[in-house]
């Protein structure tokens, strides 16, 4: 009985209705987090060349966009900032009137229920483009912590719902927790980019955010792609320091990492379907080589099947539309 010809796995694949009944993984719009890039200036809505379908917005142009996002049922956005000027210590990152801080206030006025997550990092604000302070030509861990903690606090003060450190300095989650608690933000969760790799797939983002390092690379702080046990140590450390949610990034070339983290930890797990993953798919679709909708939904489903609860993706708006008509 347990063998062919009595046993036929194709029986349950015969119709769409049957396939839907036995489907093991389904993405929902509530799983999605949409990245948004805010820039200085006024009346700016400019398409990002390396991320077709995504835009740079000035704060005054955000109300329309966030209203649309909320209407689609997407629960959360993650904000990245493009400041007007940069300096050695990235002071724009923690300025109370910085681009992200102003954007948060604007968004909260328009769509108070939309969860505003902020990317906490220095690379978009430093003249050298590194994710922390540079001392003697090296990215200095311990002096970076203060800048990062200050940045997270300024986001919370502006009204951010969740802060998400992406710098990969050792000890940043504890430093942020301390600064949030001291500032009266005991209820602000930390979503830690816990296992973030030094990946070639961030290329389009760095173009979009103007955050490419001006010398060297990020290999002394972001993780070495071949390592997975080390990812588990990174996650363990961030959890120990007080991370409420953890993230694996990138997603697609790291599905095994997502799976391993899922099996070991019970924290909500996010995965970042990064810019290069999006851009590759988009480029192939534009050439007519793949079906964009099918491919994007397949990718998002795979990330969830690997174990992610939440997915940060540039496809979020499209996916929300596709999911609502399926
Ligand atoms: C900031 C940051 C980066 C991304 C998210 N936060 C770039 C980097 O580390 O160089 C990449 C996101 C993407 O590629 O979509 N440190």
């Amino acid at each position: 009985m347990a063998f062919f010809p009595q046993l036929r796995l194709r029986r349950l694949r015969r119709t769409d209705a049957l396939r839907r009944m036995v489907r093991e993984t389904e993405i929902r719009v509530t799983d999605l987090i949409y990245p948004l890039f805010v820039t200085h200036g006024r009346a700016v809505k400019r398409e990002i060349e390396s991320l077709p379908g995504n835009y740079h917005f000035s704060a005054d142009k955000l109300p329309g966009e966030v209203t649309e996002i909320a209407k689609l049922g997407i629960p959360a956005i993650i904000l990245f900032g493009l400041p007007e000027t940069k300096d050695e210590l990235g002071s724009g990152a923690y300025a109370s009137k910085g681009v992200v801080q102003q954007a948060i206030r604007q968004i909260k006025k328009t769509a108070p229920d939309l969860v505003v997550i902020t990317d906490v990092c220095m690379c978009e604000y430093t003249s050298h483009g590194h994710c922390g302070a540079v001392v003697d030509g090296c990215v200095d861990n311990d002096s970076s912590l203060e800048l990062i903690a200050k940045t997270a606090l300024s986001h919370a003060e502006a009204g951010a719902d969740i802060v998400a450190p992406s710098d990969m300095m050792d000890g940043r989650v504890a430093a942020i927790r301390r600064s949030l608690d001291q500032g009266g933000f005991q209820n602000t969760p930390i979503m830690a980019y816990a296992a973030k790799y030094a990946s070639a797939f961030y290329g389009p983002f760095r173009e979009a955010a103007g955050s490419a390092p001006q010398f060297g690379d990020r290999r002394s702080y972001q993780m070495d792609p071949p390592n997975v046990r080390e990812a588990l140590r990174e996650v363990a450390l961030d959890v120990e320091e007080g991370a409420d949610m953890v993230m694996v990034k990138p997603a697609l070339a790291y599905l095994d990492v997502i799976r391993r983290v899922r099996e070991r930890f019970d924290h909500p797990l996010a995965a970042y379907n990064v810019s290069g993953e999006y851009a590759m798919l988009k480029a192939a679709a534009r050439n007519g080589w793949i079906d964009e909708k099918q491919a994007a939904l397949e990718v998002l489903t795979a990330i969830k099947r690997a174990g992610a609860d939440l997915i940060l993706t540039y496809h979020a708006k499209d996916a929300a539309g596709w999911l609502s008509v399926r």
Side-chain angles (χ1 to χ4, degrees), residues 36-161:
L36 266 187
F37 295 87
V38 291
T39 186
H40 57 90
R42 285 187 57 78
V44 182
K45 181 184 176 183
R46 199 181 322 115
E47 189 165 22
I48 301 170
E49 213 178 312
S50 58
L51 289 172
N54 293 265
Y55 297 80
H56 285 133
F57 292 97
S58 51
D60 58 307
K61 282 287 194 184
L62 284 172
E65 180 68 9
V66 295
T67 303
E68 193 185 325
I69 292 167
K71 237 185 234 150
L72 284 165
I74 297 169
I77 54 165
I78 180 161
L79 287 179
F80 298 93
L82 288 89
E84 189 164 13
T85 57
K86 306 184 189 229
D87 57 35
E88 269 295 294
L89 291 178
S91 59
Y94 40 87
S96 60
K97 290 204 169 126
V99 268
V100 164
Q101 290 79 357
Q102 286 183 357
I104 298 167
R105 290 188 205 102
Q106 187 71 260
I107 294 165
K108 281 289 157 192
K109 257 190 273 169
T110 318
D113 294 333
L114 188 66
V115 174
V116 176
I117 307 172
T118 55
D119 182 83
V120 176
C121 197
M122 305 311 294
C123 61
E124 293 127 55
Y125 305 90
T126 50
S127 41
H128 44 72
H130 278 291
C131 303
V134 171
V135 178
D136 296 332
C138 290
V139 179
D140 186 64
N141 194 86
D142 299 12
S143 58
S144 299
L145 296 182
E146 193 193 327
L147 306 178
I148 288 157
K150 255 200 313 203
T151 301
L153 179 60
S154 77
H155 292 171
E157 282 167 349
D161 297 296

Side-chain angles (χ1 to χ4, degrees), residues 2-30:
F3 295 103
F4 176 83
Q6 290 86 2
L7 180 68
R8 291 176 184 271
L9 294 184
R10 288 183 56 186
R11 280 182 200 124
L12 294 177
R13 293 182 203 141
R14 202 169 44 81
T15 68
D16 194 45
L18 284 168
R19 289 191 294 273
R20 286 177 59 186
M21 284 176 71
V22 298
R23 193 156 290 155
E24 299 172 34
T25 307
E26 215 147 5
I27 33 169
R28 304 168 304 178
V29 66
T30 46

Side-chain angles (χ1 to χ4, degrees), residues 35 37 51 80 119-124 131 166-167 193 196-197 199 201-206 211-213 218 221-222 249 272-276 314:
F37 295 87
L51 289 172
F80 298 93
D119 182 83
V120 176
C121 197
M122 305 311 294
C123 61
E124 293 127 55
C131 303
S166 68
D167 53 282
Y193 285 71
K196 177 174 176 181
Y197 288 87
S199 169
F201 288 98
Y202 306 151
F205 172 93
R206 289 184 191 166
S211 67
R218 303 209 201 288
Y221 42 105
Q222 298 181 348
K249 177 187 171 190
Y272 203 140
N273 177 213
V274 300
S275 60
Y314 303 96

